[in-house]
Amino acid sequence: MADRTLRPSPISPTVDFSAEGVQHGFLRLPYSRDDSAWGSVMIPVTTVKNGEGPTALLTGGNHGDEYEGPIALFDLARTLKAEDVTGRVIIVPAMNYPAFLAGTRTSPIDKGNMNRSFPGAPDGTVTPKIADYFQRMLLPLADIVLDFHSGGKTLDFLPFCAAHILPDKAQEAKAFELVRAFGAPWSMKMLEIDAVGMYDTAAEEMGKVFITTELGGGGTATARSAGIAKKGVANVLKAAGILKGAVEASGTTWLDMPDGNCFSFAEDGGLIEPLYDLGDMVKTGAVVARIHPVGRTGVEPLEVKARMDGILAARHFPGLVKSGDCVSVLAAVVA
């Protein structure tokens, strides 16, 4: 059987990634549908190149209901000048563009979760086609990758920048150097619940220096969270030697997610009552939230207990919770 990944990507860029200067354009993906027989998904992209140097690939909107990244990157794409750059910056403010336009975590076209769709497929539906283009065309161009995230509509986070513990300790060290440079109030050694199919994993397996963020949530952005994103991306580019200027130093507190005990999940649905707020310290066995049954009155709530000591780094955001939802994430304060 032929290797399907060798087929050409259907996506055509309207910019030349090898050309000098500033270019604004699109990644055009043909998408035939009822309201547009020969239509396309037009994903905005900017490339800024000036001479030889490293390449930074900057992405937001991997999930469509997370807004700090798109705010920072649409702003950077508008303002970044070639004369201020050494090397190349590729900016895709809304990676899963259909999801971004719909304000949903996954694509309204195929329900694809971009961050679980790698390595993608050039003959798949829209989401795996986009993932395939990043896997085979954009990631190979990059030296460093910054992918912005926040909690979307269902989670809320302390604002942190993060990288993963990696087998390659030199690669890991470079990533954590950029996490420090980003300068978020919190910096995380991050553990994923499930890393299969993630953009993070695709980049790291190629040897790229990959960092990410969680900058709030609730399906919106704040002045503070957007400001952290804008300052952080500039700091990363400066630390990488791509953007002129010095890193704007700011203090950060380091956190660690040592194992699966960080996570607490709902075992039933209902009305959630949080008993701790983000940033609060929690002891093992403490009740972090109660889940009240809503089918009738007079029923005792289900208690969700902490499985480790730590700071409350993330929490369920909507007032109602379903069985299996993540209720809370704790992290150890390490510095």
Side-chain angles (χ1 to χ4, degrees):
M1 182 180 292
D3 185 349
R4 297 192 308 164
T5 62
L6 297 179
R7 296 179 182 180
S9 171
I11 292 179
S12 301
T14 67
V15 298
D16 180 354
F17 293 109
S18 66
E20 299 286 314
V22 177
Q23 300 171 76
H24 303 289
F26 301 93
L27 307 176
R28 187 181 69 82
L29 170 59
Y31 171 46
S32 178
R33 55 196 188 272
D34 289 341
D35 65 345
S36 186
W38 286 4
S40 298
V41 175
M42 304 289 281
I43 304 168
V45 63
T46 291
T47 179
V48 181
K49 189 176 186 299
N50 184 22
E52 296 301 316
T55 292
L57 175 58
L58 310 175
T59 52
N62 188 324
H63 296 130
D65 59 350
E66 303 173 6
Y67 296 107
E68 286 81 1
I71 289 170
L73 296 182
F74 274 112
D75 185 71
L76 183 67
R78 177 180 59 86
T79 58
L80 190 61
K81 297 179 175 61
E83 57 264 32
D84 293 330
V85 167
T86 301
R88 178 171 52 185
V89 182
I90 300 170
I91 306 170
V92 184
M95 188 177 179
N96 193 341
Y97 195 59
F100 172 72
L101 292 180
T104 54
R105 181 175 179 84
T106 62
S107 173
I109 296 172
D110 57 9
K111 298 301 180 184
N113 181 338
M114 182 64 70
N115 215 26
R116 300 297 185 274
S117 295
F118 282 81
D123 56 354
T125 55
V126 165
T127 303
K129 283 177 178 175
I130 298 170
D132 169 72
Y133 187 81
F134 275 81
Q135 177 84 28
R136 292 195 293 147
M137 306 300 169
L138 293 185
L139 281 175
L141 299 177
D143 298 293
I144 66 172
V145 182
L146 167 55
D147 184 38
F148 279 101
H149 286 266
S150 61
K153 293 176 180 175
T154 64
L155 291 171
D156 194 16
F157 285 87
L158 289 176
F160 63 76
C161 186
H164 299 108
I165 303 299
L166 300 173
D168 185 330
K169 294 306 175 183
Q171 180 187 10
E172 175 189 299
K174 291 176 182 178
F176 281 115
E177 286 174 9
L178 291 183
V179 170
R180 185 181 296 277
F182 187 98
W186 309 89
S187 296
M188 181 75 78
K189 296 179 180 180
M190 196 166 185
L191 174 69
E192 300 290 349
I193 296 175
D194 178 13
V196 175
M198 293 184 70
Y199 182 45
D200 316 36
T201 305
E204 289 162 351
E205 287 179 347
M206 288 187 190
K208 310 303 179 182
V209 179
F210 181 92
I211 65 172
T212 187
T213 68
E214 296 289 356
L215 298 177
T220 188
T222 65
R224 181 180 184 232
S225 64
I228 292 168
K230 292 168 72 172
K231 179 181 175 182
V233 67
N235 276 344
V236 167
L237 293 176
K238 291 172 183 176
I242 297 173
L243 182 63
K244 290 180 180 178
V247 172
E248 295 184 36
S250 55
T252 190
T253 300
W254 285 88
L255 305 175
D256 185 22
M257 298 170 65
D259 55 42
N261 287 329
C262 299
F263 303 100
S264 294
F265 297 93
E267 296 183 358
D268 205 348
L271 175 68
I272 189 165
E273 177 192 358
L275 300 182
Y276 291 86
D277 288 324
L278 292 178
D280 287 347
M281 298 303 299
V282 182
K283 291 291 187 181
T284 302
V287 179
V288 294
R290 296 190 186 101
I291 300 174
H292 296 272
V294 295
R296 60 173 299 157
T297 57
V299 181
E300 291 295 318
L302 175 70
E303 294 183 339
V304 180
K305 295 183 178 180
R307 299 164 60 197
M308 61 174 275
D309 292 351
I311 190 170
L312 186 63
R315 69 178 186 93
H316 182 81
F317 189 80
L320 297 177
V321 67
K322 300 183 296 297
S323 178
D325 285 351
C326 182
V327 170
S328 65
V329 181
L330 298 177
V333 179
V334 295

